[in-house]
Each structure stands twice: as structure tokens, then as C-alpha cells.
């Protein structure tokens, strides 16, 4: 029997978002779900039965097993690296994770290199005795397949609900969810008139910037502020409308009374990155809620907005666009179209309560600064080119080399892992044949 008295034990529990056991257990400070509580009780009982004199609890609630960037899991790793934990006990291998590549890496590389013993009770896995290690790769693969299957079924269920006309998003400015049906939109008496006003102004020839300026002057809360979302920048006020927000509203087809579902999709069931979809991939259901604007108004507003001229005569962004910021309010400096950059806040709101002082930087001044800097670098290169190159690119090359080395190491590890899994699968089929 392995030495247990001196072991420094961690018991780890995890609950996925798909787990419907969401009742809160009030016997723990802060409250945890019953699923987590039952896991911790089972793990603690097992630890005591095995003679572990003490253990520390770690748990991540409502976090998918496809990611290992979990707060308490990372905390446990830090304790392992600090030498305060050398044994980890989980209910089963799926609680450790459902990404079969990463799960295998922790089981076969990370934990062994750190001198950590891993025990999965229900799977009969114990890296200290070797029990269950032969079948672990298959269980990791099945755990991964489970997530893939759940993702596919969830997408299918959501698509079926969308085709029936159910509204499945968090909300749409100008509407509120019906009290008796959270999947039904009804006009919001507070914001619906604002949406209609925006469309009427756009159809009348007002630019997005002009509309934003007027809404800000009238101190109307932005969609984010109306929902209670705090601004990312301290320089942004709750009534500071952006031309981008106005453009989003004008181009939103759901104000015509139809529901559009699936305008983005995840890159994969393991990724959170969203990719745009084509119109053919989207689900559009007409007449699901009361329209706020007519088809004629919507078409006219979008047609007029498409005629708006760009900020430069060439129709391209200025070479310094996005690089300059106001020293007083922090807002972006935008090109005025008259050979100079001006403060965006001043341009949109002038000197009012939400505005800023006038700041103007001419193109000629910027060109002179950049050209003088380039000439200084050229002179430095003529004196000692090697030193200049080392100064300008030394840190960048180090970071690039480190990133490349890490990527190549990860590629070799993944290829090795896939080869091992292929060999195990072949061996299993030959054995059972």
C-alpha cells in the first residue's frame, strides 16, 4: 500500500453548465450547488477510508470540462508547484476534464513530472499503482465525445425552437420580453420611441454621427447603460451615444418584426470564438413580434446611410487613424477631412457638459514629426547599424523565438499523443478480434 499518512491531498470537484442540478446548498459559505456538495462529500469519505489524515478541497462550479483555465483548478496547480499538494483525487476522469488531449497530457506528462499521484474513484484509476492507466485514453476519448454530442444536440434543439419563432437571445433594444413568455418580444414603451426616432432621422438624411450627437444632447441612455452595463472607459458617460451603436440599430432587420437566428457560430464545440455565417445558414422567421418600423422606412434609412461619404476623399482610412488620442479626455482623435485631426468628443459634443476642449493637429505637423524621427533613426543606423537593429528587434525576436519553440513543442506533443492513441485503438481492436 502506498504511503498515505504523509501525503498532501487535494480533492477536486467540477460541475458542467449542462448539469441541471442548480439548487444551492446554504450549509457552505457562499453556497455551492448540490452536485458539487455531493462530489466533495464522496471524495472526502474516500480520502478518509484510504487513510489520508487531511485534505484540501478545490471545486469549479458551472465551468465546462473542455477548458482547463478554471480558477480553482489553476489554484490547485499553483499549490502543486509550491509543493503543498502531491495527491489529487477526483470522482472520475471527466471531472478532471473532457478535452482528451489536454486530459491525457495532465495524466501522462504534467502530473508525473510534478510527482503528483492522480486517483479517479469511479474509473478505478490510480497513477500511483498503475490501476486503470491502460483504459484511461479510451475514457478520455469518450468524455470528449460526450461534449461533442451534447453540443450537437443543443444546437439542434435551439434551431428547432428558433424555427418555431422563439426569440432566444438576451434582448433587443426597443423591445422587452413578455412577462408570460420570455421567448416573445413586445415593444418597450421607454426605448421603442428612441428606435423609431433613429430610423426617421436616418431616413431623413442624418448621418450616424449626427444622430448620436443629438441623442447625447438629449441625455438619452445608451442601450448598454439602459441594461445596466458599465462603460469600459471612465471617459464614456451613460448618455454618450456612438455612431457605431446607431449604425447597428439602423441595420438590424429584427425591427421589421422578424426573428433572425444563427448570425454567428462557434469555430468548434471547444472554442468560444464566434465566426459570421452566411444568409443561407441563418434561420429567419417572419412575423414573430410587432415591428417598430415599416419596411419602407427601414429600406429608405439603410439606402440613405449607404450614400454617406467616407472621411477621406480616397475612401480609405488615414495612415494615422486610430493612433492618436486626446490628452485631456482620452478619446480618439479623428480626421476632420480638412487636413487635421480633432478630438472625437469635441467633434461630437462640442463644448457642452459631455464635450471637450478644441484640439487640432494638422497633417503637416504629424508628417514633420514622423519624418524627423525616421531621419534620426537613419543617422543612428549610419553610426552603428548593428546596435540599432539589436535595440529595435532584440525583444521582438526573443518573444517570437519563445512562441515558436512553444508551438513546436506543443505540435510534437500532440503528434506523439495521437500516435499513442492510434496504437492503443489498433491494439484493442486486434485483441478483441
Amino acid at each position: 500500500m502506498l504511503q498515505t499518512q504523509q501525503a498532501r491531498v487535494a480533492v477536486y470537484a467540477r460541475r458542467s453548465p449542462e448539469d441541471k442540478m442548480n439548487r444551492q446548498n446554504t450549509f457552505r459559505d457562499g453556497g455551492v450547488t448540490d452536485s458539487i456538495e455531493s462530489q466533495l462529500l464522496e471524495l472526502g469519505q474516500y480520502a478518509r477510508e484510504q487513510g489520508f489524515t487531511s485534505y484540501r478541497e478545490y471545486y469549479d462550479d458551472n465551468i465546462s470540462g473542455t477548458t482547463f483555465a478554471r480558477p480553482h483548478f489553476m489554484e490547485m496547480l499553483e499549490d502543486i508547484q509550491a509543493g503543498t499538494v502531491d495527491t489529487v483525487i477526483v470522482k472520475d476522469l471527466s471531472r478532471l476534464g473532457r478535452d482528451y488531449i489536454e486530459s491525457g497530457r495532465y495524466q501522462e506528462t504534467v502530473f508525473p513530472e510534478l510527482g503528483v499521484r492522480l486517483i479517479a474513484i469511479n474509473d478505478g484509476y490510480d497513477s500511483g499503482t498503475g490501476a486503470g492507466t491502460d483504459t484511461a485514453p479510451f475514457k478520455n476519448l469518450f468524455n470528449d465525445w460526450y461534449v461533442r454530442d451534447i453540443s450537437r444536440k443543443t444546437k439542434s434543439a435551439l434551431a428547432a425552437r428558433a424555427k418555431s419563432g422563439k426569440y432566444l437571445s438576451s434582448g433587443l433594444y426597443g423591445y422587452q420580453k413578455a412577462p408570460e413568455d420570455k421567448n416573445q418580444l413586445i415593444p418597450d414603451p421607454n426605448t421603442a420611441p428612441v428606435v423609431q426616432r433613429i430610423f426617421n432621422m436616418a431616413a431623413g438624411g442624418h448621418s450616424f454621427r449626427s444622430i448620436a450627437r443629438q441623442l447625447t444632447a438629449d441625455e438619452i441612455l445608451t442601450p448598454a447603460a439602459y441594461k445596466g452595463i458599465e462603460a469600459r472607459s471612465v471617459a464614456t458617460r451613460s448618455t454618450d451615444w456612438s455612431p457605431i451603436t446607431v449604425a447597428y440599430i439602423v441595420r438590424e432587420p429584427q425591427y421589421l418584426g422578424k426573428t433572425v437566428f444563427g448570425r454567428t457560430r462557434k469555430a468548434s464545440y471547444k472554442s468560444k470564438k464566434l465566426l459570421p455565417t452566411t444568409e443561407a445558414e441563418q434561420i429567419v422567421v417572419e412575423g414573430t413580434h410587432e415591428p417598430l418600423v415599416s419596411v419602407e422606412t427601414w429600406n429608405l434609412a439603410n439606402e440613405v446611410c449607404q450614400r454617406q461619404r467616407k472621411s477621406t476623399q480616397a475612401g480609405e482610412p488615414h495612415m494615422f487613424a486610430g493612433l492618436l488620442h486626446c490628452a485631456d479626455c482620452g478619446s480618439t482623435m479623428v480626421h476632420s477631412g480638412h487636413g487635421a485631426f480633432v478630438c472625437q468628443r469635441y467633434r461630437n459634443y462640442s463644448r457642452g457638459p459631455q464635450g471637450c476642449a478644441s484640439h487640432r493637429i494638422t497633417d503637416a505637423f504629424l508628417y514633420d514629426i514622423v519624418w524627423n524621427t525616421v531621419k534620426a533613426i537613419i543617422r543612428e543606423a549610419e553610426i552603428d547599424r548593428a546596435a540599432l537593429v539589436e535595440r529595435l528587434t532584440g525583444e521582438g525576436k526573443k518573444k517570437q523565438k519563445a512562441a515558436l519553440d512553444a508551438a513546436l513543442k506543443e505540435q510534437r506533443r500532440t503528434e506523439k499523443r495521437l500516435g499513442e492513441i492510434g496504437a492503443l485503438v489498433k491494439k484493442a481492436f486486434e485483441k478483441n478480434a
Side-chain angles (χ1 to χ4, degrees), residues 33-58:
T33 56
D34 287 353
S35 175
I36 291 291
E37 176 71 2
S38 63
Q39 288 183 56
L40 293 176
L41 289 174
E42 180 180 351
L43 294 171
Q45 181 180 357
Y46 175 86
R48 291 188 294 271
E49 291 175 352
Q50 297 300 312
F52 296 111
T53 56
S54 64
Y55 57 88
R56 183 176 178 183
E57 296 178 341
Y58 302 83

Side-chain angles (χ1 to χ4, degrees), residues 24-100:
Q24 293 294 315
N25 187 318
T26 57
F27 296 100
R28 286 180 176 266
D29 294 338
V32 298
T33 56
D34 287 353
S35 175
I36 291 291
E37 176 71 2
S38 63
Q39 288 183 56
L40 293 176
L41 289 174
E42 180 180 351
L43 294 171
Q45 181 180 357
Y46 175 86
R48 291 188 294 271
E49 291 175 352
Q50 297 300 312
F52 296 111
T53 56
S54 64
Y55 57 88
R56 183 176 178 183
E57 296 178 341
Y58 302 83
Y59 59 87
D60 288 301
D61 203 357
N62 197 35
I63 300 181
S64 172
T66 58
T67 176
F68 280 81
R70 312 173 212 136
H72 285 189
F73 183 82
M74 300 306 295
E75 179 184 348
M76 184 176 69
L77 283 181
E78 292 177 358
D79 291 342
I80 289 174
Q81 294 171 345
T84 59
V85 171
D86 59 17
T87 301
V88 177
I89 305 176
V90 294
K91 181 180 178 181
D92 54 57
L93 293 176
S94 69
R95 296 307 92 194
L96 181 68
R98 289 190 179 276
D99 185 321
Y100 76 96

Side-chain angles (χ1 to χ4, degrees), residues 216-217 219 237 240 345-346 348-357:
T216 300
E219 297 185 349
R237 300 174 179 85
D240 284 352
R345 180 175 293 280
Y346 174 78
N348 289 344
Y349 314 124
S350 300
R351 294 181 179 272
Q354 287 102 7
C356 183

Side-chain angles (χ1 to χ4, degrees), residues 334-352:
V334 295
H335 200 264
S336 65
H338 300 287
F341 279 84
V342 297
C343 172
Q344 185 180 35
R345 180 175 293 280
Y346 174 78
R347 181 177 181 179
N348 289 344
Y349 314 124
S350 300
R351 294 181 179 272

Side-chain angles (χ1 to χ4, degrees), residues 133-380:
T133 55
D134 292 339
T135 59
F138 298 101
K139 292 181 178 179
N140 291 334
L141 190 58
F142 291 140
N143 290 333
D144 195 303
W145 282 346
Y146 172 82
V147 178
R148 186 197 300 265
D149 185 58
I150 289 294
S151 175
R152 180 181 58 79
K153 291 179 179 178
T154 301
K155 288 181 180 179
S156 177
L158 290 176
R161 297 184 66 189
K163 290 178 180 178
S164 67
K166 299 291 185 180
Y167 183 79
L168 305 178
S169 299
S170 59
L172 180 64
Y173 184 75
Y175 289 98
Q176 62 184 3
K177 295 187 176 182
E180 66 281 359
D181 185 0
K182 65 179 182 179
N183 298 123
Q184 177 64 43
L185 293 179
I186 58 176
D188 185 338
N190 296 321
T191 57
V194 179
V195 173
Q196 294 168 339
R197 177 184 177 186
I198 291 174
F199 273 96
N200 290 333
M201 292 181 68
H206 290 270
S207 66
F208 296 147
R209 179 175 288 105
S210 173
I211 298 173
R213 185 185 298 120
Q214 187 59 52
L215 295 175
T216 300
D218 294 343
E219 297 185 349
I220 297 175
L221 292 177
T222 64
Y226 185 74
K227 292 177 65 176
I229 301 175
E230 295 184 1
R232 296 182 179 180
S233 172
V234 294
T236 304
R237 300 174 179 85
S238 60
T239 57
D240 284 352
W241 280 76
S242 166
I244 297 176
T245 303
V246 175
Y248 174 83
I249 291 176
V250 172
R251 293 165 181 162
E252 176 56 70
Q254 295 188 107
Y255 289 118
L256 293 173
K258 57 185 177 182
T259 298
V260 182
F261 177 80
R263 284 187 280 191
T264 60
R265 62 176 178 83
K266 288 186 176 180
S268 75
Y269 68 98
K270 296 181 182 180
S271 172
K272 295 184 180 298
K273 182 179 181 180
L274 297 178
L275 303 175
T277 60
T278 63
E279 292 186 2
E281 296 174 309
Q282 299 171 8
I283 298 175
V284 181
V285 183
E286 301 283 349
T288 56
H289 49 269
E290 179 182 340
L292 295 186
V293 295
S294 65
V295 177
E296 293 75 13
T297 302
W298 192 93
N299 289 338
L300 179 59
N302 280 270
E303 181 181 351
V304 171
C305 290
Q306 288 178 357
R307 301 173 187 166
Q308 299 292 337
R309 295 182 60 187
K310 296 185 178 181
S311 58
T312 62
Q313 293 181 353
E316 298 178 354
H318 194 279
M319 64 181 298
F320 295 120
L323 301 177
L324 307 177
H325 297 273
C326 176
D328 290 344
C329 68
S331 298
T332 304
M333 302 284 286
V334 295
H335 200 264
S336 65
H338 300 287
F341 279 84
V342 297
C343 172
Q344 185 180 35
R345 180 175 293 280
Y346 174 78
R347 181 177 181 179
N348 289 344
Y349 314 124
S350 300
R351 294 181 179 272
Q354 287 102 7
C356 183
S358 175
H359 300 291
R360 188 172 183 272
I361 302 177
T362 64
D363 292 349
F365 179 73
L366 288 172
Y367 294 145
D368 288 341
I369 292 178
V370 174
W371 178 234
N372 289 334
T373 303
V374 171
K375 288 191 293 185
I377 294 176
I378 293 174
R379 287 194 298 268
E380 185 177 352

